[in-house]
Amino acid sequence: MMLSTDKTFPVACSWCLWTLLSLCYGLEFRYHNSAEVEKYLREVTRNYPSFTYRYNIGRSVEGRHLWVLVLGKSPKEHNVGIPEFKYVGNMHGNEVVGRVLLLQLIDYLTKGYHNNPFVTRLLDSTRVHILPSMNPDGFESSSRDCMAGFGRYNSNGVDLNRNFPDIFSGEDEERREFEVLAIMDWMKQERFVLSANLHGGAVVASYPYDNSNRGGELQEGASVSPDNDVFIHLAKTYSYSHTQMHRGNACSDSNFPHGITNGYQWYALPGGMQDYNYVWQQCLEITLELSCCKFPPERELPGFWEANRPALLAYMQQVHLGVKGQVLDADGNPVQNALVEVEGRINLCPFRSGPYGEYYRLLLPGNYTFKVTFPGHEMLIETLTVPYGPENFSALKHNFLLERSVNASTPPTPTKPCSTSGVQPQDSHSAALLATPIITLLPLLLISLLM
Ligand SMILES: *[C@@H]1O[C@H](CO)[C@@H](O)[C@H](O)[C@H]1NC(C)=O
Ligand SMILES: *[C@@H]1O[C@H](CO)[C@@H](O)[C@H](O)[C@H]1NC(C)=O
Ligand SMILES: *[C@@H]1O[C@H](CO)[C@@H](O)[C@H](O)[C@H]1NC(C)=O
Ligand SMILES: [Zn+2]
């Protein structure tokens, strides 16, 4: 009896001490390694079981779990009408500020729920998933300096932000890395509405597209998506809620108007995660570059938290832009896979209703005409006046009620596949197209070493 008590006593005691210290003083500002992150997330779910939940989405090449902490009123499952949000940190293993900030954010949200009105409203209306490190192997092998690339790649030497399927690159048969497959599977499980992906090496909010096939999406050097207005608003929400980012000149020789940039306009990037989120998964994602130095000294971490905290919070609230609801048939049954399109926005992969017939469409305030189509049903066209949802932590709620087609012989609406065909290449660029790989390769290589 005594023996076993003796053995567990130091363990229990150090656990008490850790819990007590973190409850009183908050999470320490330093670089926690993968084992410490795992331990911290376990403590969080032990201390706050009613609104936090921990799960992993897979393993890295070296077998480290990719841990996610989810926070929300109902953390273990999706609820109709509650949007899913995510933050992903440390995709490049040596870009570490985001990883630290996401742990601090977890600390802040857990302490604020039922204490701080903003946090309470946020977590009552949103399910927030946080993956502090997408590339733990890279982190563990990083050198602690500002620019050297050690640790950027995963354990196979692959840049994870070049390894996603890319509609602009055509039929690529690229081998996907474990970490990338984990994200892709995760996005099949949870239908995320809004996301951000945290990097370092600059201070700017970058938004899709990152790539282009030099088609009609190119406008004055930017690769412009149909939801460009929403993306600019999202990026500015972050940069203007951040203490310095909106000035656009945080790092030497940088000049980003408003602290934002179109990804492609900055530098072309094939196989990136933000284009994948948006194009293939209908999740609006932006890329946040949060520090000039990729691996800054620990003493600077509290300053990064103060600069980014309001921006991290304001950005999450934007998940409530636009319209949300269900597509229902004449009997009130949810209709999955209906096309839910907004006039004037031809998305490369159309937005569709999900399980429970749910859809979310992030839009700025204004009037929008929706077109909802599903085989065997009349096409539904409705115009909605959309208010500014974040103010009330809720998008406009609207259900689309489909009617069965009166004409039984009406052929089913063809289901639209994903394609860039709506985006016609400009002029006759066939010669230029051949030359582009060579022209774009050099700057791309140079810049990819920097970011
Ligand atoms: C939207 O429609 C409403 C009602 O038809 C109209 O009063 C309003 O002016 C419109 N708003 C905009 C921005 O077009
Ligand atoms: C927010 O909620 C209040 C009270 O329900 C309502 O009067 C207001 O119109 C709402 N604002 C928006 C932007 O939805
Ligand atoms: C029903 O659909 C068929 C085929 O599209 C068409 O030829 C026919 O005129 C339609 N009938 C009515 C009543 O709309
Ligand atoms: Zn990066």
Side-chain angles (χ1 to χ4, degrees), residues 91-92 94-95 152 161 198-200 267 287 289 294 451:
M91 177 184 206
H92 290 141
N94 64 330
E95 297 170 13
R152 174 187 178 89
N161 208 23
L198 281 54
H199 290 250
Y267 59 97
T287 301
E289 303 280 352
K294 294 183 179 188
M451 300 308 149

Side-chain angles (χ1 to χ4, degrees), residues 407 409-411:
N407 189 343
S409 66
T410 302

